[in-house]
């Protein structure tokens, strides 16, 4: 895998539980995008401290929920360090759900780090962290908790480093109700068999100084062909 990108997801190539994501760096800036909508939307962590999730200009998407001319879905300033040398950038949350008939990955030929699916009542949390060039090994215990796993890191041209970590946590009752409400009611209608498809739900929330992106894959039980379920 090139040292300037990390591809990751939850599940396996034959049963995906999330989008497949890519994190990459260019000079001293960090970007993330999900494969299936990367040509429309991406996360940009600029060295100026202007961090955002936005529609890509070339997508030509007219989002009527945004002010005229705006492409920004979520914007925040680089937060203060939570411990010397370390900044929390954002999180991607992949919850457990009751989806049964899962889609396959379309990322053939790509090296992807697959995380094991969350158990019932659990969520997988991907966290992007940024460390300064002067960060000390002694601060690592302030960053990690027992069970945390580092999936990799990418070097920026200014000496900083972007880290991708994974943690498993229990879901709250509200989170489970929210997710399963979508699983029970979501449907995608086609007039004819669409063949190999993929569909997921992506929701951005910003209750802290950084956003959390809820991301989980739907399944073939949500695909209807001429009114009949495909699964």
């Amino acid at each position: 895998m090139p040292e300037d990108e990390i591809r990751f997801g939850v599940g396996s190539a034959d049963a995906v539980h999330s989008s497949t994501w890519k994190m990459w760096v260019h000079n001293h800036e960090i970007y993330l995008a999900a494969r299936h909508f990367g040509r429309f939307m991406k996360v940009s962590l600029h060295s100026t401290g202007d961090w955002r999730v936005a529609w890509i200009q070339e997508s030509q998407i007219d989002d009527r929920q945004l002010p005229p001319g705006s492409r920004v879905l979520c914007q925040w300033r680089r937060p203060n360090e939570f411990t010397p040398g370390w900044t929390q950038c954002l999180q991607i949350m992949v919850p457990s759900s009751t989806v049964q008939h899962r889609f396959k990955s379309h990322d053939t030929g790509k090296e992807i780090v697959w995380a094991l699916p969350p158990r019932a009542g659990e969520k997988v949390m991907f966290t992007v962290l940024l460390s300064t060039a002067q960060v000390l090994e002694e601060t690592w215990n302030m960053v990690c908790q027992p069970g945390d796993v580092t999936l990799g890191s990418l070097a920026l041209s200014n000496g900083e480093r972007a880290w991708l970590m994974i943690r498993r946590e229990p879901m709250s009752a509200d989170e489970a109700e929210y997710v399963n409400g979508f699983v029970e009611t979501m449907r995608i209608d086609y007039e004819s068999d669409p063949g190999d498809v993929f569909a997921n739900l992506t929701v951005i929330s910003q209750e802290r100084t950084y956003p959390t992106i809820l991301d989980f894959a739907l399944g073939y039980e949500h695909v209807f062909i001429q009114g009949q379920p495909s699964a």
Side-chain angles (χ1 to χ4, degrees):
M1 182 180 294
E3 292 184 356
D4 60 349
E5 70 176 41
I6 302 172
R7 296 177 185 268
F8 60 99
V10 176
S12 68
D14 292 326
V16 297
H17 288 244
S18 74
S19 305
T20 52
W21 288 80
K22 181 175 76 169
M23 181 173 82
W24 72 101
V25 298
H26 178 69
N27 294 328
H28 40 271
E29 308 202 317
I30 307 167
Y31 301 94
L32 293 98
R35 179 220 179 262
H36 71 282
F37 59 78
R39 59 196 175 101
F40 301 110
M41 183 177 73
K42 70 178 179 182
V43 180
S44 303
L45 308 181
H46 296 295
S47 58
T48 60
D50 177 22
W51 291 0
R52 57 180 59 192
V53 183
W55 298 116
I56 294 174
Q57 186 171 4
E58 291 76 12
S59 68
Q60 299 295 312
I61 288 179
D62 181 16
D63 191 335
R64 296 174 183 252
Q65 297 184 32
L66 299 178
S70 175
R71 297 181 289 109
V72 178
L73 296 165
C74 176
Q75 187 172 23
W76 68 108
R77 295 296 302 174
R78 176 173 174 162
N80 295 328
E81 296 177 350
F82 63 89
T83 199
W86 290 93
T87 301
Q88 181 135 350
C89 304
L90 75 153
Q91 291 182 319
I92 299 172
M93 170 185 165
V94 181
S96 58
S97 71
T98 55
V99 174
Q100 298 295 317
H101 305 282
R102 296 192 172 275
F103 303 120
K104 292 184 178 181
S105 171
H106 294 175
D107 292 272
T108 56
K110 303 292 186 180
E111 185 178 349
I112 300 170
V113 180
W114 289 106
L116 292 174
R119 293 171 294 185
E122 186 181 61
K123 59 187 176 184
V124 172
M125 302 295 293
F126 293 104
T127 301
V128 179
L129 300 173
L130 186 60
S131 64
T132 64
Q134 297 79 28
V135 71
L136 301 176
E137 292 185 8
E138 288 79 2
T139 65
W140 189 247
N141 63 347
M142 301 291 293
V143 176
C144 294
Q145 297 180 8
D148 288 355
V149 177
T150 302
L151 298 186
S153 66
L154 304 173
L156 281 67
S157 60
N158 60 1
E160 294 184 315
R161 184 168 286 272
W163 299 79
L164 180 64
M165 298 179 61
I166 184 172
R167 177 177 297 170
R168 296 173 184 274
E169 299 176 349
M171 291 173 62
S172 69
D174 288 343
E175 288 172 336
E177 182 180 4
Y178 182 78
V179 169
N180 288 320
F182 279 103
V183 173
E184 293 169 3
T185 60
M186 187 67 66
R187 60 179 291 153
I188 307 166
D189 289 287
Y190 292 93
E191 293 184 358
S192 59
D193 189 346
D196 194 11
V197 299
F198 175 81
N200 84 311
L201 182 72
T202 303
V203 180
I204 304 170
S205 65
Q206 192 172 1
E207 298 178 354
R208 305 179 183 179
T209 56
Y210 54 85
T212 296
I213 302 175
L214 169 66
D215 175 83
F216 71 93
L218 299 171
Y220 279 106
E221 63 261 46
H222 301 104
V223 176
F224 289 76
I225 303 170
Q226 294 183 343
Q228 299 298 316
S230 62

